[in-house]
Amino acid sequence: MLLGLGNVPTLETPLFFLALITYSMSIIGNILIVVLVVSQRHLHTPMYFLGNLSSLETCYSCTILPQLLASFLTGDKAISAHGCVAQLYFFGSFAGTECHLLAAMSYDQYLAICQPLLYASLMTWKVCLQLVAASWLVGMLVSAVVTVFLSQLKFCGPKTIDHFFCDLTPLLELSCSDTSMVTLPSIILSFLSVVFHFLFMLASYVYIIAAILRILSSVGREKAFSTCSSHLTVVTTFYCTLLIVYVLPRTALLRQLNKVFSFFYTVLTPLVNPLIYSLRNREVRDALRKALRKAKACTQGAQ
Ligand SMILES: *[C@@H]1O[C@H](CO)[C@@H](O)[C@H](O)[C@H]1NC(C)=O
């Protein structure tokens, strides 16, 4: 049983509509970006990262929200054991992929700002493909390892999860066997990937900000800063919520706050990320304008 967001009946309806609206908008927005990126063949590599990030966000919201919305509607809070493990696996692998993809994107920005003359020769289509493929593969692999270890545990006691989806920590609390078999590998794996990427991104941004401060013209400085500030916002939000949800101890108060923050990064990030990236990106806006013009010409031709 997934207890959901809390048992406050007056909040059920507003929360349902909030989740429904953000879900539909993030699916539409992200699919639009993927279609734009795929339909325009001449785009530069940052756009491929953006397209992949949007497909990732689409998958990400599909692992949690349909089930949450259905439980709001039917009042049925049950989830099958296989469904729960599947949700854990897919959620973990998409979250892991997102860490790697964000790191790859910050490397791309580092090259664009700090090595502008070498950018085209360093960030070729092949390098981009390798970075993207590695992100997806490592994310799926790490999550698979953790899920396999988890499925070895025994669950004999209570069956209610005080959360709105099957996340690792609430599941581990239900187990009656020794959970160090799961926590140890998952701590090592997440430490390796999250901390390594976090430090890597931190280093990229230190270089980027140093390079921006060296730009003498205020127009150039502003332009460079606006490209990377959107990315910095996304990265900071993602890592801060991860930190709050997974690193802080689970006391009674934090447990409730935990749900709020989980709601943020599972429901709101998939909506906010494409908005932040695409509205601030001239290439996306131009592509959108071109697609709209083409669509208009088509409908006029049809009449
Ligand atoms: C994802 O990245 C790959 C490699 O760069 C690219 O070929 C592909 O078009 C991207 N996918 C989307 C949906 O943008």
Side-chain angles (χ1 to χ4, degrees), residues 33-35 37-38 41 45 47-55 101 124-133 136:
I33 292 180
V34 173
V35 170
V37 171
V38 171
R41 289 258 151 256
T45 48
M47 297 294 286
Y48 291 133
F49 286 120
L50 188 62
N52 278 278
L53 185 71
S54 283
S55 358
L101 207 57
T124 56
W125 184 79
K126 200 173 154 207
V127 173
C128 179
L129 181 69
Q130 282 165 348
L131 285 173
V132 168
W136 285 96

